[in-house]
């Protein structure tokens, strides 16, 4: 699920020279705009989540890897923008036609499920762009024994917010066990269970973090009518998030509103580099270990950026993935 699917990253071995093919799958692809650039390959399956780097030269790329059981594979550019998705098992020869700016129009061949997946996205781009949740819910309801239902729920459904995660949980329960793609679905189910747990909605308590001047501090909601906890990361979209936080920060005042921006960037060096242009007037900090860390894990944050509004006692009164919607909620309460 595009909003909640997270797992530990391991090492994916991309094999450039191999003698046998029954024990590997091969991928050949071409990016329409013919760029020369690095590509990031992320793979999900029974052996966990793994990643590696390969390259496209004048748009053409290829690699070989292992998938003893069915794996979902994603290809990103160097800025973590999604280029393509497909399924793979050992013995597959995957062929990809990739328009760099539109993953909905990727054409995939090499196995029946990948071909149907790409065709569904090709044919339903407009509807998915307008209301992906409606499209996915309709497909799952009519195709409970189809593994494509699992893939669409996993990658296209927006499960942010309480209503979204509850609806996703209901849809996941409809899918037949034989269509759940093993550990890929198991991770989805575990995340949904965590998102919908009562513990994830308990009051926000102490959250330790590192400050911009390399000290340690602790976030404890209180002393203000409203507190906004923005959980962010470096990379694509950071400027847009910072711009929204700047608008929200205009409403900060003693006893009225406090704004905390906690980054889950890879490390403090990456974090400091990413926030240098922000000119922030709000509290910025860094939390090690990402959204699954001991500091943030109990909040069941499904993605970054993500926003939680609390009252003066730390009780969660709004959650969501949109900074603009968070700002609207805050303004309505002040």
């Amino acid at each position: 699920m595009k909003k909640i699917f997270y797992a530990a990253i391991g090492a994916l071995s991309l094999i450039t020279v191999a003698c046998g093919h029954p024990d590997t799958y091969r991928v050949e692809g071409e990016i329409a705009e013919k760029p020369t650039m690095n590509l990031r390959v992320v793979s999900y399956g029974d052996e966990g989540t793994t990643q590696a780097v390969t390259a496209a030269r004048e748009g053409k790329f290829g690699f070989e890897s292992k998938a003893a059981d069915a794996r979902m594979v994603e290809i990103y550019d160097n800025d973590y923008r999604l280029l393509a998705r497909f399924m793979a098992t050992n013995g597959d020869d995957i062929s990809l036609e990739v328009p760099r700016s539109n993953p909905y129009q990727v054409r995939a061949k090499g196995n029946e499920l990948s071909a149907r997946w790409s065709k569904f996205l090709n044919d339903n781009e407009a509807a998915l762009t307008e209301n992906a949740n409606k499209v996915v819910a309709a497909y799952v309801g009519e195709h409970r024994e189809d593994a494509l239902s699992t893939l669409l729920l996993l990658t296209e459904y927006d499960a942010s917010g309480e209503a979204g995660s509850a609806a996703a949980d209901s849809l996941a329960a409809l899918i037949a066990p034989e269509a759940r793609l093993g550990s890929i679905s198991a991770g989805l189910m575990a995340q949904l269970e965590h998102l919908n747990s009562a513990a994830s909605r308990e009051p926000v308590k102490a959250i330790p973090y590192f400050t911009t001047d390399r000290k340690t501090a602790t976030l404890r909601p209180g002393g203000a009518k409203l507190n906004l906890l923005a959980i962010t990361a470096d990379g694509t979209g950071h400027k847009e998030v910072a711009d929204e936080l700047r608008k929200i920060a205009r409403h900060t005042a003693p006893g009225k509103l406090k704004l905390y921006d906690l980054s889950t960037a890879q490390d403090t060096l990456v974090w400091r580099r990413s926030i240098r242009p922000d000119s922030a007037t709000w509290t910025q900090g860094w939390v090690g270990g990402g959204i699954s860390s001991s500091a943030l894990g109990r909040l069941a944050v499904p993605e970054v950026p993500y926003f939680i509004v609390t009252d003066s006692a730390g009780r969660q009164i709004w959650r969501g993935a949109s900074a603009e919607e968070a700002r609207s909620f805050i303004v309505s309460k002040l």
Side-chain angles (χ1 to χ4, degrees):
M1 184 169 306
K2 69 178 178 182
K3 300 296 183 182
I4 68 171
F5 191 72
Y6 287 88
I9 299 295
L12 170 64
S13 224
L14 296 185
I15 305 165
T16 55
V17 178
C19 296
H21 188 29
D23 297 328
T24 64
Y25 66 90
R26 294 174 179 171
V27 178
E28 290 188 357
E30 184 169 4
I31 303 171
E33 293 82 353
K34 301 187 183 302
T36 294
M37 63 181 185
N38 286 337
L39 301 175
R40 299 178 183 273
V41 181
V42 184
S43 170
Y44 308 91
D46 287 344
E47 297 176 357
T49 303
T50 55
Q51 72 171 357
V53 176
T54 186
R57 293 177 175 82
E58 296 184 351
K60 295 183 178 181
F61 64 91
F63 60 87
E64 187 169 353
S65 191
K66 295 182 179 181
D69 297 299
R71 296 187 70 81
M72 184 178 78
V73 184
E74 299 178 328
I75 301 177
Y76 295 84
D77 68 13
N78 205 41
D79 293 320
Y80 291 98
R81 286 184 289 261
L82 178 67
L83 296 177
R85 288 187 174 108
F86 58 91
M87 291 295 295
T89 56
N90 286 344
D92 287 346
D93 288 292
I94 306 295
S95 173
L96 301 173
E97 297 176 21
V98 182
R100 183 173 181 178
S101 59
N102 190 354
Y104 284 119
Q105 290 303 317
V106 169
R107 297 183 184 275
K109 299 177 182 179
N111 58 59
E112 183 265 347
L113 182 54
S114 292
R116 285 199 299 115
W117 189 7
S118 67
K119 186 177 188 306
F120 183 89
L121 298 180
N122 297 167
D123 295 345
N124 293 277
E125 177 184 358
L128 287 164
T129 302
E130 181 179 354
N131 191 334
N133 284 11
K134 181 179 179 180
V135 175
V136 174
Y139 191 90
V140 172
E142 296 173 3
H143 302 85
R144 301 184 182 191
E145 298 180 355
D146 186 352
L148 182 55
S149 290
T150 297
L151 292 174
L152 293 173
L153 185 62
L154 184 69
T155 59
E156 300 297 329
Y157 199 88
D158 183 351
S160 61
E162 292 188 30
S165 61
D169 193 26
S170 298
L171 288 173
L174 293 177
I175 300 174
E178 61 270 21
R180 293 183 180 179
L181 298 174
S183 64
I184 297 175
S185 178
L188 166 64
M189 300 297 184
Q191 289 287 351
L192 284 172
E193 182 179 356
H194 187 37
L195 278 172
N196 291 307
S197 68
S200 69
R201 302 303 191 270
E202 290 180 355
V204 176
K205 299 178 181 178
I207 299 178
Y209 64 92
F210 286 91
T211 66
T212 53
D213 56 358
R214 296 177 170 81
K215 297 180 180 180
T216 58
T218 302
L219 183 160
R220 290 187 176 88
K225 178 182 177 181
L226 297 176
N227 301 272
L228 173 62
L229 173 58
I231 302 168
T232 60
D234 64 300
T236 302
H238 175 79
K239 181 182 182 301
E240 289 76 8
V241 172
D243 288 344
E244 286 296 328
L245 293 181
R246 192 170 291 106
K247 295 175 185 177
I248 297 171
R250 296 170 187 165
H251 301 282
T252 58
K256 187 178 179 182
L257 172 66
K258 285 186 176 181
L259 170 55
Y260 303 90
D261 176 8
L262 297 185
S263 174
T264 58
Q266 179 180 351
D267 55 46
T268 55
L269 292 176
V270 171
W271 165 55
R272 292 192 181 93
R273 184 169 59 248
S274 70
I275 65 173
R276 196 170 296 133
D278 291 351
S279 302
T281 59
W282 56 90
T283 299
Q284 292 181 300
W286 176 80
V287 178
I291 60 174
S292 298
S293 67
S294 58
L296 298 176
R298 61 185 176 81
L299 296 176
V301 174
E303 62 177 315
V304 287
Y306 198 73
F307 307 89
I308 298 174
V309 180
T310 79
D311 63 12
S312 59
R315 291 185 290 262
Q316 300 182 52
I317 57 177
W318 188 90
R319 293 167 59 103
S322 168
E324 184 176 358
E325 291 178 11
R327 177 163 62 92
S328 296
F329 177 83
I330 289 169
V331 170
S332 72
K333 295 297 181 180
L334 290 176

